[in-house]
Amino acid sequence: MKSLSSTGFAIFGAALIAISYGLARFAFGLFVPQIRDELGLAPDVIGVIGALPLISFLLATVVAPFITDHLGARYTAVLSGVFGVGGLVLIGQASDALMLGVGVFACGICTGLMMPALTAGMQAIVKRSLHGRVSSVMNAGTSIGVIVAVPTVLFLVGAWRLAYLSFAICAAIGVVAAWFFLPSVSRIVPSNAAPPAPLRELPWSRLVRLTLFAYVMGVVSSAYWIFAPDLVVTLGGLPSASTGWLWLAVGIAGLGGAVVADLADRNNPPITHALMLMMLAASLALLAASPAQTLLAAFSALVFGLAYMSLTGLYLMTGIRLLPGRLSVGPVLPFMAVSLGQATGSPVVGWLVDGFGYADAFSMFASLGILVAILSPFYPGHIEHGDDEAAEAEEDTGLQAAYDHQLQNEEGEPLADPEDLQEDAEPTVGENTDDNAIPPISLHPHSNRVRVYHDNTLLADTGDAIELREKGCPLRRYIPKADVDMSQLSISSTVTHCPLKGDSTYYSLPDLADIAWSYDHPIDGMDAIAGHLAFDADKVTERVK
């Protein structure tokens, strides 16, 4: 595995989201006019096919946490990419509705597996204090993917099959990159992380309200995602290439959604939810009223992109805030509700278009959005606190607060980051360096690259080792498990106890016993080495540069 910095991981994750969400899922609506004309599909058939990737997304999302736990981040992302490549190839080669449906169904599975895989990788190798920022950057990948899809419509007019072939090539590159850059393990949880709250203590009324709002937003937005390009071509008489500018506007405006969502979660979620849902409904009504006006259609796309990404980001943060100890469920619950709403709304829009026409169908969905926006005061805001906790409650909001709340010690205080522990243990210039003043054991950051080999086999490669110095013992470098090829190691029966570090777990190769060890539950003060392995220098070769 190649080591990525936090910034590098955020950019890489956004690229994979751009492929799996932007190209494999949301780009489909962009090509509906061309696909419908060539395959001779009716609007109601397109509506049903448009719902298939949403259904498969839901199914994949349900099992994704279990798959990630068993396969790890790397193999789950690779599996997602394989479904994406297969689905995109099938769409590009589709000769009828059945083959097209199978392709979009496979693309939905790709989408459902990718974000859990990236979340697992992020929690394994990215510093906890940066989780919120990295998540926001990755979430913006959907808009980036939509923007990338636009040139294929502008410059490959009528060549939708060639466009999907290029998407499949991008997905294949993503599979290879995921193999090299994502860790093979799932997330690492500190040994003294606070356990999640029991099911009976969850804020069920708030979760139900969040789910209902997310579901209705999904229903309303399905009209735009699936049928907006077809509306401007069929009703407005615009050329198919004009739909590219429509999607470009959606993608560009969507990039600002992450900022709006974070500000909303920290201030007044119900009011922002009402405003954004009103904007979403207005974008549908504006497009239906003036489909032949290119500038007005593009403006409606800007409004839709900003509103949609703001709402999905707000739902993401609200879910994590309401379920701070269940990070695998918090983001998934509202996204599942949105997808279920889109899966419900897509065929309904198709039937309404057949029966009443595009303008009336879009107007009906816009009315539904306005009606639900009026009910936004019931959107789950911040959890009320007593007067003595008011000041603290104002600060304990947002995505990062949810991550920090999960990781607590026995006293309920947030855990210190490993880097903070290392800095505390490292002596400063001018301190007394007398032997009696030097602690018997200390931890120090080690920024140089460390690679561990057995014969010619690479076992570990990291730039985030922790150097442990202990009196009377050789210097040891503890390497994060995320940077170790754990598939080559097996747990041995050897167990030792160190009064300064705790109980150890040993690992062996098939032909070499006890080659490495870890302290999964270290004593107080040594928490930084949890989730790390040290190798026996007499049995392996360590290369440091």
Side-chain angles (χ1 to χ4, degrees):
M1 186 195 100
K2 305 293 184 181
S3 180
L4 286 173
S5 64
S6 296
T7 301
F9 186 88
I11 296 173
F12 178 66
L16 292 182
I17 291 297
I19 295 171
S20 58
Y21 277 70
L23 300 183
R25 179 176 170 185
F26 288 117
F28 177 72
L30 192 62
F31 295 94
V32 161
Q34 302 175 36
I35 295 175
R36 178 176 56 79
D37 289 343
E38 183 170 335
L39 299 184
L41 304 178
D44 57 339
V45 175
I46 288 291
V48 173
I49 293 175
L52 291 178
L54 307 172
I55 295 173
S56 59
F57 171 83
L58 286 171
L59 297 175
T61 302
V62 170
V63 301
F66 304 100
I67 294 176
T68 304
D69 286 342
H70 285 83
L71 298 183
R74 178 191 302 162
Y75 299 109
T76 303
V78 168
L79 180 63
S80 167
V82 169
F83 274 105
V85 172
L88 292 168
V89 169
L90 284 174
I91 294 174
Q93 299 297 316
S95 57
D96 53 29
L98 177 60
M99 192 172 180
L100 180 66
V102 173
V104 297
F105 190 88
C107 286
I109 297 176
C110 163
T111 308
L113 293 178
M114 184 56 75
M115 184 58 86
L118 290 174
T119 302
M122 177 186 69
Q123 294 187 62
I125 66 177
V126 174
K127 183 181 177 183
R128 192 176 73 251
S129 60
L130 297 177
H131 282 182
R133 187 175 304 169
V134 170
S135 297
S136 298
V137 173
M138 291 195 301
N139 192 46
T142 299
S143 294
I144 296 173
V146 171
I147 293 173
V148 169
V150 169
T152 61
V153 176
L154 296 179
F155 303 111
L156 296 175
V157 179
W160 61 273
R161 296 184 186 275
L162 182 59
Y164 267 96
L165 177 59
S166 67
F167 294 167
I169 294 174
C170 290
I173 294 173
V175 170
V176 176
W179 179 269
F180 282 102
F181 290 105
L182 289 181
S184 60
V185 298
S186 56
R187 67 188 181 97
I188 298 172
V189 180
S191 58
N192 54 346
L199 291 177
R200 65 179 181 278
E201 296 180 8
L202 295 181
W204 286 109
S205 64
R206 293 171 180 268
L207 291 171
V208 169
R209 280 180 279 157
L210 169 63
T211 302
L212 291 176
F213 277 114
Y215 172 79
V216 175
M217 193 281 282
V219 171
V220 176
S221 66
S222 65
Y224 212 103
W225 280 121
I226 303 299
F227 287 98
D230 204 35
L231 184 150
V232 299
V233 172
T234 303
L235 189 62
L238 298 179
S240 296
S242 64
T243 61
W245 298 112
L246 200 69
W247 246 229
L248 179 63
V250 170
I252 291 175
L255 293 175
V259 177
V260 174
D262 185 62
L263 292 175
D265 183 66
R266 294 177 182 275
N267 293 282
N268 197 315
I271 289 180
T272 306
H273 182 269
L275 176 61
M276 290 299 136
L277 195 52
M278 285 281 190
M279 290 175 59
L280 190 77
S283 69
L284 270 69
L286 180 60
L287 189 67
S290 50
Q293 303 295 321
T294 304
L295 290 179
L296 288 179
F299 179 72
S300 79
L302 288 171
V303 174
F304 176 81
L306 177 62
Y308 182 84
M309 291 304 296
S310 299
L311 287 169
T312 54
L314 179 60
Y315 297 152
L316 166 73
M317 293 185 174
T318 302
I320 292 177
R321 175 162 48 79
L322 295 180
L323 296 171
R326 300 173 183 271
L327 298 184
S328 63
V329 180
V332 169
L333 181 64
F335 278 7
M336 288 181 63
V338 170
S339 296
L340 183 60
Q342 291 172 338
T344 304
S346 180
V348 173
V349 178
W351 297 328
L352 291 176
V353 168
D354 262 351
F356 300 94
Y358 278 105
D360 288 343
F362 269 57
S363 298
M364 293 177 191
F365 271 61
S367 300
L368 175 62
I370 293 173
L371 175 62
V372 177
I374 297 174
L375 302 176
S376 290
F378 295 101
Y379 185 84
H382 301 312
I383 298 176
E384 293 79 7
H385 296 265
D387 294 338
D388 295 338
E389 300 178 355
E392 179 183 354
E394 291 179 358
E395 297 180 357
D396 189 27
T397 60
L399 183 62
Q400 185 57 46
Y403 279 113
D404 292 338
H405 180 70
Q406 183 207 20
L407 305 177
Q408 301 174 346
N409 59 24
E410 294 178 356
E411 287 72 34
E413 298 296 331
L415 290 175
D417 283 312
E419 293 183 6
D420 299 332
L421 293 175
Q422 296 161 13
E423 291 172 0
D424 292 341
E426 190 169 12
T428 58
V429 176
E431 284 185 343
N432 182 3
T433 56
D434 182 80
D435 287 345
N436 293 329
I438 297 176
I441 188 170
S442 59
L443 303 176
H444 306 265
H446 188 81
S447 58
N448 291 336
R449 184 180 183 184
V450 179
R451 286 176 290 179
V452 179
Y453 291 87
H454 172 57
D455 295 333
N456 293 321
T457 302
L458 179 64
L459 299 178
D461 186 352
T462 187
D464 299 310
I466 298 175
E467 195 170 85
L468 187 146
R469 303 171 188 171
E470 184 176 358
K471 282 186 177 181
C473 297
L475 183 147
R476 302 293 189 189
R477 296 182 182 90
Y478 281 77
I479 299 173
K481 288 184 179 180
D483 294 334
V484 178
D485 188 353
M486 299 298 294
S487 64
Q488 299 193 52
L489 303 175
S490 60
I491 297 177
S492 74
S493 59
T494 303
V495 176
T496 62
H497 175 78
C498 172
L500 298 177
K501 298 186 288 292
D503 294 326
S504 66
T505 299
Y506 274 76
Y507 297 84
S508 301
L509 290 172
D511 58 345
L512 189 60
D514 299 338
I515 195 174
W517 61 88
S518 67
Y519 292 90
D520 298 324
H521 303 282
I523 64 174
D524 292 342
M526 291 289 108
D527 303 285
I529 64 173
H532 290 63
L533 259 69
F535 285 86
D536 189 338
D538 295 330
K539 299 180 179 180
V540 299
T541 301
E542 280 192 4
R543 297 177 185 174
V544 181
K545 69 173 184 179

